[in-house]
Amino acid sequence: MSITDSTALMNRIYRHQRRIYDPTRKYFLLGRDRLIDGLRPRDGDQVLELGCGTGRNLILAARRYPNARFFGLDVSTEMLTSAIEAIGRAGLEARVRVSHADAGAFNPCELFGTKRFDRIFISYSLSMIPQWTHVLEHAAGLLTPGGELHIVDFGGQEGLPLWFRHLLRRWIALFEVTPCDRLKPTLAALAERRGATLTVERPYRGYAQHAILRLPA
């Protein structure tokens, strides 16, 4: 799917949803704040979010880590409108920049004037991207030595009732979301190729999966 088609699709989904996205999603996008807590960038580090949506995570992270610089991209121009407005209200324009791009095919020099990032994170966006394995490869290639890729997304819900799993997956499918059930083995293969370490957890009885890939220094 071209970026034009992806943008049109996501804009159709979020043109109105973006206005109620943050207050409604906090009840089922579990683990986002935990991911932010685990970023721990050093002073001067550059941090990128793929699929930044309304800018909610970028704003929280920028407040939490005032000496790091933050960047975000999203394929939906509707969501980016909300992000730009929210970043402006928070007074963070000097440290948070966002841009329109495809997470699997973007040039960071053209977008942000930098080649590498010390932290890259993806929060409940990977499951909305059909070619999500390519996004992981691209992201890993943009990390500095010792850099980290942090991911939180829907898990297999293996510790929850079967009826809940079926209901959840039918509902999120309405928003073009398909959980990445093979995230762990895909990341394991990526870590092996790059000599990286990998940790994967399944918090909330498997509702979510939280992964951190760390490149060697």
Side-chain angles (χ1 to χ4, degrees):
M1 185 182 295
S2 69
I3 186 172
T4 300
D5 291 338
S6 296
T7 297
L9 174 60
M10 291 298 103
N11 281 349
R12 283 198 301 272
I13 292 173
Y14 290 113
R15 180 166 289 113
H16 302 295
Q17 282 284 321
R18 70 182 177 90
R19 303 184 187 281
I20 60 170
Y21 187 90
D22 289 333
T24 57
R25 265 49 175 190
K26 67 180 181 180
Y27 297 108
F28 62 90
L29 299 186
L30 307 180
R32 294 182 297 172
D33 293 349
R34 180 184 180 190
L35 179 150
I36 292 170
D37 289 342
L39 288 175
R40 300 190 182 102
R42 299 155 297 187
D43 290 357
D45 273 1
Q46 299 191 125
V47 183
L48 170 67
E49 181 178 16
L50 301 181
C52 64
T54 63
R56 180 258 188 199
N57 296 329
L58 286 172
I59 291 169
L60 288 180
R63 287 171 171 166
R64 176 72 183 272
Y65 306 107
N67 296 315
R69 295 182 62 204
F70 291 86
F71 306 88
L73 60 85
D74 204 286
V75 76
S76 169
T77 53
E78 290 285 344
M79 290 295 253
L80 283 173
T81 297
S82 289
I84 292 167
E85 292 172 351
I87 292 166
R89 288 195 300 271
L92 292 169
E93 304 99 316
R95 286 199 303 115
V96 183
R97 293 175 56 191
V98 296
S99 185
H100 175 239
D102 180 339
F106 67 94
N107 184 328
C109 288
E110 293 178 357
L111 295 181
F112 304 119
T114 186
K115 293 181 179 179
R116 296 285 186 268
F117 301 92
D118 304 285
R119 301 286 187 272
I120 297 177
F121 68 100
I122 314 173
S123 172
Y124 286 94
S125 297
L126 203 62
S127 53
M128 300 189 72
I129 303 172
Q131 301 299 322
W132 60 270
T133 57
H134 181 67
V135 171
L136 295 177
E137 290 280 359
H138 189 46
L142 296 177
L143 288 171
T144 59
E148 299 176 359
L149 173 61
H150 293 244
I151 301 164
V152 66
D153 215 307
F154 292 106
Q157 299 91 44
E158 58 272 8
L160 297 167
L162 187 60
W163 65 263
F164 179 88
R165 181 178 186 270
H166 288 165
L167 184 63
L168 175 67
R169 293 195 171 213
R170 287 179 61 185
W171 186 73
I172 62 178
L174 298 176
F175 303 97
E176 300 293 327
V177 175
T178 303
C180 305
D181 291 328
R182 291 193 54 78
L183 178 61
K184 184 176 180 178
T186 301
L187 283 172
L190 177 59
E192 183 176 2
R193 290 194 298 274
R194 295 187 174 271
T197 61
L198 174 68
T199 59
V200 180
E201 299 177 356
R202 294 184 178 274
Y204 316 111
R205 297 173 64 186
Y207 179 93
Q209 48 189 336
H210 182 195
I212 305 174
L213 183 144
R214 297 181 175 90
L215 292 187

